[in-house]
Amino acid sequence: MTSKDTQVALKKLREEVSSNKVSIKILSEIPMFMNVDGPLETKAKEQKKLGEKEMEIELMIEEERKNKVVREYEELHPPVEESCPICLEDIRIHSTASVCYYYSCCGNWTCKDCSIPQIEAGKLRSCPLCREPIMESLRVYNRSLEKCVERGQAWAQFQLGYKHQAGEVGGRVDMKKAIALNNLSAEQSHPPALSFLSGLYQKGVPGVIKKNPSKSTSLMKKAADAGDFSAQANYAAICFQGQNGKKVDCSQAAHYATLASYYNKKCHVANAILGFLFLNGNGGLGQSANLATHYLETAVKVNPNSFSGFASYNLGHALMQQCEGLYGLYIFGYSSLPRAAYWTRKARAAGDQHAKKIINNFESFEQGKCAGCQKKESVAGRKFQCCGRCKIYWFCSKECQVVIWNAGHKVDCIKGE
């Protein structure tokens, strides 16, 4: 969608939002009780429509923001593009280590889509570029890699260096050789080599490399600026958490997380960082429960334990904020409380201590009263039973449970852990 198309769509959506707000204003005198019969149901429906349209508007504006960040970045760091010799598609060869498949026989490459499916199906017997037989012997493959290294090819320097580190050359680990080869590759700004060396300098290698957090950060930034989205996500995490001696820098975290999320929409690290920054309005990003929810949901779909439960915990928080901002309080049939609790429990299971404290306190509070008649367990003189699916609400009787289920909990309920 062009910028002009976006502006037209935004104008239409804003007109629809104004119409929804007028409808809600007419119904604004209706008190928000737990019951959603009659006009209150109408008001809640209008608020839901409003929320959906506002989310759509915010996502369109966010897409414009991301496009601007990427345009400015690519002006400073023009992407390295080459055409795949088979399909002729333009490939950003530095975007990730797995975007290309290299052939050591001739030193050339294809995009992964032109090679990997054939290899996985066992159909690729010869190089599609030079027609040499595919080398199955590790020794023969290593020799062909060495020839590519002699020609100064960065990808071969990195791969042979990795093999020296893994003990796949001569049957022994040779870290000095691995580092020397990766240094040669890094001199050509090969992102995998830069990231590899960054990891070594972060921890150090006894007798070979001294620990140097500052150099580790510098190398990761260089890999990020070369266009590798994994390095962009890693550098965003360094800025976000204040690692390797670098102070917390939310603006830089937002910048590199935006790049990583743009180039790889499923990057859970980048999306988790953006979700937190939008949730709290940090790093130059305006506070938005909608965008926080969007990014955090994307992160946990890929990895529910992203940042050791950090993303799940913040998603629970974002869902609560989103619901409160839209409806004022929790209305059965329109409540995100069961979903928020679900993700907070996920965070607790992943070891997040904040989530553990919050969900434990919440469960203790809810257990003490009936969600239907609000009767307290201490007054009733008997133990209440919780909803068997979401394990959020407690009931003094089957009657109260049925009333709340029909009032809308059947829409909100989500199976708990």
Side-chain angles (χ1 to χ4, degrees):
M1 186 180 285
T2 65
S3 180
K4 186 177 180 181
D5 291 336
T6 300
Q7 293 304 316
V8 171
L10 280 172
K11 183 180 179 181
K12 182 179 178 181
L13 279 168
R14 283 171 175 147
E15 288 172 355
E16 292 174 359
V17 164
S18 297
S19 176
N20 277 121
K21 286 182 176 179
V22 170
S23 300
I24 291 169
K25 188 175 181 181
I26 293 170
L27 298 164
S28 62
E29 299 302 319
I30 300 171
M32 301 293 276
F33 299 114
M34 301 305 287
N35 186 341
V36 292
D37 291 334
L40 185 54
E41 170 79 18
T42 304
K43 183 178 180 182
K45 284 180 178 179
E46 287 295 322
Q47 286 173 309
K48 184 178 180 180
K49 289 179 186 176
L50 174 65
E52 290 169 350
K53 289 184 175 67
E54 287 182 336
M55 169 68 98
E56 198 172 343
I57 287 173
E58 288 189 49
L59 285 173
M60 292 177 75
I61 294 172
E62 170 60 3
E63 195 64 27
E64 287 283 287
R65 182 194 72 82
K66 289 174 76 172
N67 289 338
K68 183 183 178 190
V69 169
V70 170
R71 281 196 304 271
E72 291 174 352
Y73 162 76
E74 291 185 351
E75 285 176 6
L76 290 172
H77 308 282
V80 179
E81 288 189 349
E82 293 184 21
S83 297
C84 170
I86 294 180
C87 67
L88 304 181
E89 285 287 326
D90 288 335
I91 305 297
R92 295 191 175 193
I93 59 174
H94 285 175
S95 61
T96 175
S98 61
V99 73
C100 300
Y101 186 85
Y102 293 94
Y103 291 90
S104 61
C105 47
C106 57
N108 293 320
W109 63 274
T110 72
C111 70
K112 63 178 182 178
D113 292 334
C114 287
S115 291
I116 300 301
Q118 297 291 321
I119 292 171
E120 290 177 345
K123 296 179 179 179
L124 196 63
R125 302 297 181 188
S126 62
C127 173
L129 303 171
C130 69
R131 303 305 176 188
E132 284 289 315
I134 298 295
M135 299 169 220
E136 296 181 358
S137 164
L138 182 61
R139 182 179 293 179
V140 173
Y141 180 74
N142 288 344
R143 283 177 184 167
S144 64
L145 265 184
E146 287 170 356
K147 291 180 181 179
C148 292
V149 167
E150 289 171 4
R151 293 197 291 266
Q153 292 183 286
W155 69 268
Q157 293 163 345
F158 167 72
Q159 284 197 13
L160 190 58
Y162 178 82
K163 287 183 173 295
H164 277 290
Q165 182 215 9
E168 294 178 3
V169 180
R172 65 187 184 88
V173 173
D174 188 340
M175 286 304 297
K176 288 185 178 179
K177 189 69 174 175
I179 291 166
L181 285 163
N182 273 280
N183 278 329
L184 290 173
S185 183
E187 286 173 6
Q188 299 184 61
S189 298
H190 191 55
L194 292 164
S195 297
F196 173 79
L197 291 171
S198 173
L200 294 184
Y201 279 106
Q202 184 181 22
K203 297 179 180 178
V205 180
V208 183
I209 281 184
K210 290 183 179 180
K211 184 177 179 180
N212 189 333
S214 178
K215 188 165 186 177
S216 172
T217 299
S218 175
L219 286 165
M220 189 60 73
K221 185 177 186 300
K222 191 173 180 181
D225 288 339
D228 187 296
F229 63 72
S230 294
Q232 289 165 349
N234 289 333
Y235 187 68
I238 289 170
C239 296
F240 181 67
Q241 296 177 314
Q243 297 174 336
N244 295 350
K246 182 176 178 61
K247 293 181 180 179
V248 172
D249 188 338
C250 288
S251 294
Q252 284 285 285
H255 176 73
Y256 283 95
T258 297
L259 294 173
S261 176
Y262 177 88
Y263 293 121
N264 178 17
K265 290 179 172 57
K266 293 183 179 180
C267 181
H268 69 90
V269 171
N271 286 318
I273 291 172
L274 288 172
F276 176 86
L277 295 175
F278 273 114
L279 182 62
N280 296 280
N282 297 139
L285 303 179
Q287 191 171 20
S288 168
N290 283 335
L291 292 178
T293 300
H294 165 73
Y295 279 115
L296 291 164
E297 282 184 335
T298 304
V300 300
K301 281 178 184 176
V302 177
N303 184 356
N305 296 324
S306 182
F307 275 96
S308 300
F310 171 84
S312 296
Y313 167 70
N314 282 289
L315 176 56
H317 190 185
L319 287 166
M320 298 277 274
Q321 271 196 19
Q322 192 181 43
C323 189
E324 288 174 4
L326 198 55
Y327 303 110
L329 48 82
Y330 307 112
I331 307 171
F332 290 120
Y334 299 87
S335 174
S336 59
L337 187 56
R339 286 178 63 215
Y342 172 85
W343 287 111
T344 307
R345 285 178 179 139
K346 283 279 190 185
R348 177 178 63 182
D352 190 290
Q353 294 303 308
H354 295 292
K356 182 179 179 180
K357 183 178 179 181
I358 285 177
I359 199 65
N360 287 350
N361 289 342
F362 177 78
E363 287 173 343
S364 298
F365 175 77
E366 287 296 324
Q367 189 174 352
K369 64 182 178 64
C370 174
C373 64
Q374 304 298 300
K375 188 185 296 180
K376 291 186 178 180
E377 191 177 59
S378 57
V379 174
R382 63 180 181 277
K383 286 191 174 181
F384 291 171
Q385 298 296 314
C386 72
C387 173
R389 292 189 77 241
C390 68
K391 295 178 174 60
I392 285 292
Y393 296 118
W394 292 73
F395 305 98
C396 67
S397 64
K398 185 70 175 177
E399 289 73 20
C400 277
Q401 185 178 13
V402 170
V403 167
I404 295 304
W405 182 260
N406 291 331
H409 182 52
K410 60 186 175 184
V411 177
D412 309 324
C413 192
I414 180 174
K415 189 175 182 180
E417 304 220 313

